[in-house]
Structures are given as structure tokens and as C-alpha cells.
Amino acid sequence: MAHQHWWTQTLATDNYRSLCEQESRLRPFLARSPQLCLRRCLSDWIVTLGQQLHLRSITRHLAVLMLDLFMERHDVPPTKLLPTALGCLVIACKFEEHEENIPRRKNLAEVLNLCLPGVSVEILLGGDVMLQTEMQVLAGLSWDLFLPTAAHFSDYFLTLALQEVSIPSHQGCDKLLYLRRYTSYFLELSLQDHVHLNFPPSLVAASCVSAARMCVHLPPTWPGQLQQLIGYNLQQLLPCMELLIRLNPNFLQCTVCFKSVEPSGHLFPNFIIVTTHYPHV
């Protein structure tokens, strides 16, 4: 995949175009896996395991996407779901992490004992289980690991968003800090429901940044400069943004109304927010 921190490099625009090209080749997600009802538990487990191993967000997102695509194309027996999920995470590590960050068998065993108390680690790591699982996943994906996710786009979009921000110095640090935190927060939420696979990853990433701007009261919700650079307008982002907001368990009540006419004097065009409780992140 692209070089780490590519979004800060001179060729950031070219890398972005390459990601968009790869994104256009992703197959439509049909949600036809017989084990789709277990998908949420598996994705949550991958995220938890990845956090325990201090893996990058991009690695966790790639692992979940690989699992989604593999389950979409194969009827995975229930007893093979955990080994398959772990295999996806290990492959994602080898593709996205620096060599020193790739977890070894001992590290995996320690973390698995914490995340899966009472489950024999040998079932997942014993013998050649891990190697066989990795080979099955790679073959099932035709060895194509250049799979853009929302996490691959988000840092580039966030960098563009921060460039156009003009915030008074006395509140700038807090605004920017929480803009980053909310973007990361919504990215993690997007992994919880397979419905987000119906959107291009770049649109999901843009929706996460836009929702984050809304949460930190940074008008406008989606600036014209970002629309011009990225290509999405606010109307295109609204359906995904609404899904992200509804997934947030810490919103006590959030009613999002979509209006064709911008409310006069309102901070966020096309949004009316009624009684909102924002999460601590």
C-alpha cells in the first residue's frame, strides 16, 4: 500500500488518485455471506485485537475489509470464522505495518489469551493452522491486497480539512484535537455495520470528517474547498453521515432533518440538530 504518511508527501495528490483508481475496481458488496449475522462480532474482535497489538487504524480497517470480501465469496464454516479473522489481521499487518510492528506468535498468544479467555490458543495458532489460513485467505482474494479502505483516505482528507481551518488561537488546539479524535471515532463506527460497504471508501472517509466537523461546531459542515478537492458535495455525504450518527450509542437524542433550503443563521447547512449529546473520545 502507499507509503506511511503519504498524505504529507509531495506526491500526495498522485497517491490519492491512485487510491481512487483502485477504489473504482472494488466489487460491489452484495451482503450474501451465510454468516453475515456474525460479522459485527468478528469485526469488533479484529478491532479489539488490533488495538491490543497497537496496530494502525489502516491495518485494522484492511483486515476487516479482507474478512468481508472473503466471507462474501466463501461459505466459511462457523468453526473457521475466528481463525479466518485472525488470518486476515496477520496478513494486513504484513502488508501495512513496519517489520518491527508485525506481531509474532508469542505476542499473538498473549493477546489472544486476554481477548479470548477460556478458548484454547492452539485452535488458532497451533501447528500450521495460521499458515494454512493465511494461504486460504490470500487465494480467496486472488492475492489482491491493494484494497483501499476509508482509513486509507481519511488522513489525506483530514490534512486538507485542517489546511482550510481558521480558528481563534485560544480555542484552536482543542478544536483541531477533537476534529482528529472525532474523525477517528467515526471511522471505527463505520466498521460496525456492513451497510457502509455500500458506499465507496472515500465517501465514508469524507463523511467521517464532515460528521467530525459538525460535532466540534466547525462551520461549514463541508467547505466548498473540500468539495472541490475531493469531489463530493454535502448532499452526497448526508446518507452516510446519518448512518454514522445513528450508530453512536452515546447520542441520547439526535434528530437529523434534511432540508432543501439552508436554515437561515444555522451553522451547518442542511442540518437541524435537536438535543445532541456528544461522546467523550
Side-chain angles (χ1 to χ4, degrees), residues 38-50:
L38 300 175
R39 186 261 179 201
R40 168 69 186 274
C41 294
L42 292 167
S43 64
D44 285 351
W45 183 69
I46 286 176
V47 170
T48 300
L49 193 60

Side-chain angles (χ1 to χ4, degrees), residues 3 11 13 16-17 25 27 109 123 131 168 177 182 185 194 217 223 229 234 253-254 263 266 268 272:
H3 187 274
L11 298 178
T13 302
Y16 170 58
R17 289 172 181 165
R25 299 175 183 174
R27 299 182 188 178
I123 297 176
L131 179 59
L177 173 64
Y182 268 100
Y185 176 78
H194 65 81
H217 300 287
L229 292 172
L234 183 59
Q253 182 181 3
C254 181
H266 200 273
F268 307 108
I272 297 178

Side-chain angles (χ1 to χ4, degrees), residues 220-233:
T221 306
W222 191 243
Q225 180 181 355
L226 293 183
Q227 177 177 327
Q228 182 179 5
L229 292 172
I230 296 173
Y232 293 119
N233 60 45

Side-chain angles (χ1 to χ4, degrees), residues 4-210:
Q4 293 189 21
H5 303 300
W6 63 267
W7 52 90
T8 64
Q9 307 297 318
T10 306
L11 298 178
T13 302
D14 292 334
N15 284 327
Y16 170 58
R17 289 172 181 165
S18 177
L19 283 172
C20 289
E21 182 180 346
Q22 293 297 327
E23 176 185 63
S24 68
R25 299 175 183 174
L26 291 175
R27 299 182 188 178
F29 184 73
L30 303 178
R32 60 189 180 188
S33 168
Q35 277 75 37
L36 192 62
C37 60
L38 300 175
R39 186 261 179 201
R40 168 69 186 274
C41 294
L42 292 167
S43 64
D44 285 351
W45 183 69
I46 286 176
V47 170
T48 300
L49 193 60
Q51 291 172 339
Q52 291 288 333
L53 292 168
H54 306 291
L55 302 178
R56 303 162 65 217
S57 175
I58 285 177
T59 304
R60 302 195 299 270
H61 277 253
L62 177 59
V64 173
L65 178 57
M66 289 169 58
L67 179 65
D68 283 326
L69 296 179
F70 188 81
M71 290 176 61
E72 174 89 346
R73 303 171 192 177
H74 302 82
D75 185 359
V76 185
T79 56
K80 298 293 185 181
L81 286 173
L82 276 182
T84 300
L86 181 60
C88 290
L89 183 61
V90 172
I91 295 171
C93 288
K94 294 177 179 178
F95 194 63
E96 292 289 358
E97 298 287 337
H98 285 303
E99 178 67 26
E100 61 271 17
N101 292 335
I102 298 175
R104 301 299 187 261
R105 183 182 292 258
K106 180 181 179 180
N107 305 116
L108 284 173
E110 292 174 351
V111 174
L112 287 170
N113 281 324
L114 292 174
C115 296
L116 291 172
V119 175
S120 174
V121 174
E122 286 299 311
I123 297 176
L124 300 174
L125 300 178
D128 295 328
V129 173
M130 189 80 283
L131 179 59
Q132 292 173 359
T133 302
E134 289 181 50
M135 295 302 295
Q136 289 172 356
V137 170
L138 289 169
L141 298 178
S142 301
W143 291 80
D144 181 11
L145 301 185
F146 200 159
L147 303 169
T149 71
H152 287 98
F153 289 96
S154 63
D155 284 305
Y156 178 62
F157 292 172
L158 192 55
T159 298
L160 295 177
L162 294 176
Q163 288 175 356
E164 58 78 39
V165 169
S166 178
I167 302 175
S169 58
H170 68 277
Q171 57 176 312
C173 290
D174 288 341
K175 287 277 188 180
L176 299 183
L177 173 64
Y178 277 92
L179 182 61
R180 289 184 179 278
R181 288 185 177 180
Y182 268 100
T183 299
S184 177
Y185 176 78
F186 283 120
L187 274 174
E188 296 303 312
L189 280 184
S190 72
L191 290 177
Q192 295 183 2
D193 196 328
H194 65 81
V195 70
H196 291 99
L197 293 169
N198 296 324
F199 303 102
S202 58
L203 188 146
V204 176
S207 299
C208 290
V209 173
S210 185

Side-chain angles (χ1 to χ4, degrees), residues 211 214-215 217 221 238 241-242 245 251 253-259 263 266-278:
M214 185 180 68
C215 288
H217 300 287
T221 306
L238 291 180
M241 288 176 64
E242 183 181 15
I245 290 172
F251 276 72
Q253 182 181 3
C254 181
T255 303
V256 182
C257 301
F258 305 100
K259 301 295 184 180
H266 200 273
L267 284 177
F268 307 108
N270 303 319
F271 276 90
I272 297 178
I273 306 299
V274 183
T275 312
T276 308
H277 173 74
Y278 299 113

